[in-house]
């Protein structure tokens, strides 16, 4: 039985060797590798750009959530000038986390416009994303590129 199996395998090998094609040449393999390299060189920067756009969209979403939380904060606390400035942390009294705000990993910093005191009718929030891009949102407009005016 062993010799019969080996004989059949040997016959199969002989049949394959009789054909003209015995495998790929070195040139054919190099061409394939070069084509794959060119496709990767095109696809990788596009993929990175798509990732950065998604991270920026996450920052804009954080700003929209912060805007909603600020409005909820002032609705709950009132619009009097004695109301404490809300913060972007989990503080129970002034933290916007109590009003549904959560900061994603794509937002490196978020705060009210530097030097301003937010009110129920006038506020502007600046944010910086992990890509280094800056965005802002105010009481009447949606998220936009750049810092608060």
């Amino acid at each position: 039985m062993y010799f019969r199996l080996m004989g059949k395998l040997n016959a199969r090998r002989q049949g394959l060797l009789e054909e003209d094609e015995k495998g790929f040449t070195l040139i054919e393999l190099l061409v394939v590798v070069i084509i794959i390299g060119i496709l990767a060189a095109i696809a990788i920067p596009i993929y990175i750009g798509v990732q950065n756009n998604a991270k920026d969209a996450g920052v804009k979403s954080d700003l929209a959530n912060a805007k909603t939380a600020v409005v909820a904060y002032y609705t709950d606390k009132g619009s009097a000038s004695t109301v404490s400035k809300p913060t972007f942390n989990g503080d129970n009294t002034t933290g916007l986390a109590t009003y549904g705000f959560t900061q994603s990993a794509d937002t490196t910093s978020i705060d009210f416009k530097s030097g301003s005191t937010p009110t129920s009718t006038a506020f502007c929030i600046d944010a910086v994303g992990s890509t280094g891009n800056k965005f802002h949102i105010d009481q009447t407009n949606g998220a936009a590129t750049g810092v608060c005016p």
Side-chain angles (χ1 to χ4, degrees), residues 75-137:
T75 301
D76 184 38
K77 302 287 186 185
S79 60
S81 60
T82 58
V83 173
S84 300
K85 176 180 175 181
T87 59
F88 292 94
N89 59 25
D91 182 15
N92 288 335
T93 57
T94 61
L96 292 178
T98 308
Y99 298 93
F101 173 74
T102 56
Q103 183 174 328
S104 70
D106 295 324
T107 303
T108 56
S109 69
I110 186 167
D111 204 357
F112 291 100
K113 177 182 177 182
S114 180
S116 72
T117 302
T119 66
S120 61
T121 57
F123 61 86
C124 190
I125 305 169
D126 286 322
V128 179
S130 60
T131 60
N133 294 333
K134 297 178 181 181
F135 302 96
H136 73 278
I137 195 167

Side-chain angles (χ1 to χ4, degrees), residues 24-99:
F24 296 108
T25 65
L26 183 59
I27 300 293
E28 291 170 332
L29 292 174
L30 286 175
V31 168
V32 169
V33 169
I34 290 171
I35 290 172
I36 291 172
I38 290 171
L39 292 175
I42 292 170
I44 290 173
I46 292 172
Y47 177 71
I48 291 172
V50 169
Q51 276 187 326
N52 288 340
N53 289 343
K55 290 177 182 178
D56 288 346
V59 175
K60 290 178 183 179
S61 175
D62 284 352
L63 282 172
N65 291 337
K67 178 180 178 178
T68 303
V70 168
V71 171
Y73 176 84
Y74 281 115
T75 301
D76 184 38
K77 302 287 186 185
S79 60
S81 60
T82 58
V83 173
S84 300
K85 176 180 175 181
T87 59
F88 292 94
N89 59 25
D91 182 15
N92 288 335
T93 57
T94 61
L96 292 178
T98 308
Y99 298 93

